[in-house]
Amino acid sequence: MNYLQQFLFGIYPYIALAVFLFGSLVRFEREQYTWKSESTQMLHRGQLRLGSNLFHIGIIGVFFGHLGGLLTPISVWHALGVTHEAKQMLAIVAGGILGGVGLIGLLILLYRRFSNPRLAAVTPFRDKLLLLWLLATLGLGLATIPASMGHMDGEMMVMFMEWAQRIVTFRGDAASFAAGAPLVFQLHIFFGLTFFIIFPFTRMVHVWSGFGSLGYIGRAWQLVRPR
């Protein structure tokens, strides 16, 4: 393991998470009027519903799949009777389907935004960068599937689980578990981590509002009394 790998897989994750969390907090505190998804539906409705639905279904599924797959302790999978081989196959199939759905939706949204002069004109650089970065991240994620199919014993997947769990538990030897992975996996990790750095400065902050809206489930009904 060289110094670059030590930085990328042992230090950079903490930089990315710090910018993600504190950047989002500062954005909410100082620029609440920019805290929105900046919908372009009024300018052009074409392909928006199809592209947006496919993208959100895919990207949300991929996110929670990564979250649960990487951070669930191996002992839990063993207790459930799920072998490394079965989990590897589940990750390939589910990740391939959801990633493909998200990629199709993203391509539709990219075509819609860049092919329409009005939408292209009102799209700031940061959002163009976000969409292209997501495209590269999703593409690299799907490109890991052939490499994963060459390791159906699940050992590589376990290696990434160890890496992620050691990062969140602040263990200093985390980088060693990702440093030996094929290049496509390392690039996917880098692009995924960098996405969290880009996140607070783009329209993606509206995702926090989606989680915050869950609080409405426990609120009392709003009563509107007739005059």
Side-chain angles (χ1 to χ4, degrees):
M1 183 173 60
N2 57 41
Y3 290 112
L4 179 60
Q5 291 172 325
Q6 176 65 42
F7 172 78
L8 289 178
F9 307 121
I11 300 173
Y12 192 56
Y14 296 110
I15 296 175
L17 291 175
V19 174
F20 170 65
L21 294 173
F22 290 106
S24 298
L25 182 62
V26 171
R27 174 84 177 271
F28 181 76
E29 179 67 24
R30 298 179 63 87
E31 301 181 19
Q32 291 188 20
Y33 287 110
T34 69
W35 191 279
K36 55 185 178 179
S37 61
E38 300 179 356
S39 174
T40 56
Q41 184 175 358
M42 294 183 64
L43 294 176
H44 180 60
R45 300 172 66 93
Q47 295 114 14
L48 176 60
R49 178 173 295 180
L50 176 62
S52 180
N53 286 339
L54 290 176
F55 171 72
H56 282 88
I57 291 171
I59 204 70
I60 291 173
V62 166
F63 173 76
F64 283 106
H66 277 66
L67 197 67
L70 290 174
L71 298 183
T72 302
I74 297 175
S75 59
V76 173
W77 294 107
H78 288 167
L80 294 174
V82 180
T83 64
H84 295 334
E85 294 82 357
K87 187 175 184 298
Q88 178 79 353
M89 181 57 69
L90 175 63
I92 291 174
V93 174
I97 293 174
L98 291 170
V101 169
L103 182 62
I104 293 171
L106 181 58
L107 289 172
I108 293 173
L109 294 177
L110 280 167
Y111 175 78
R112 173 181 177 272
R113 187 166 292 274
F114 286 102
S115 65
N116 187 291
R118 297 176 68 190
L119 297 185
V122 300
T123 302
F125 171 77
R126 64 179 183 272
D127 286 331
K128 293 178 181 177
L129 174 64
L130 170 70
L131 292 171
L132 293 174
W133 201 272
L134 281 171
L135 178 64
T137 306
L138 272 173
L140 286 167
L142 291 171
T144 64
I145 292 178
S148 297
M149 294 181 68
H151 298 273
M152 292 306 295
D153 57 0
E155 290 305 314
M156 183 172 294
M157 175 197 61
V158 172
M159 181 176 66
F160 288 118
M161 292 172 66
E162 287 285 352
W163 170 75
Q165 291 172 27
R166 286 169 186 263
I167 286 293
V168 299
T169 54
F170 301 99
R171 282 181 276 178
D173 59 343
S176 62
F177 287 88
L183 180 61
V184 64
F185 284 97
Q186 295 185 9
L187 288 173
H188 180 55
I189 292 173
F190 170 75
F191 272 76
L193 291 173
T194 305
F195 168 75
F196 287 100
I197 292 180
I198 299 173
F199 182 100
F201 309 102
T202 67
R203 66 177 61 206
M204 289 298 294
V205 292
H206 77 279
V207 174
W208 286 116
S209 300
F211 287 112
S213 65
L214 296 175
Y216 283 90
I217 297 176
R219 292 180 59 175
W221 292 95
Q222 181 181 8
L223 299 178
V224 180
R225 301 183 182 278
R227 298 180 63 180

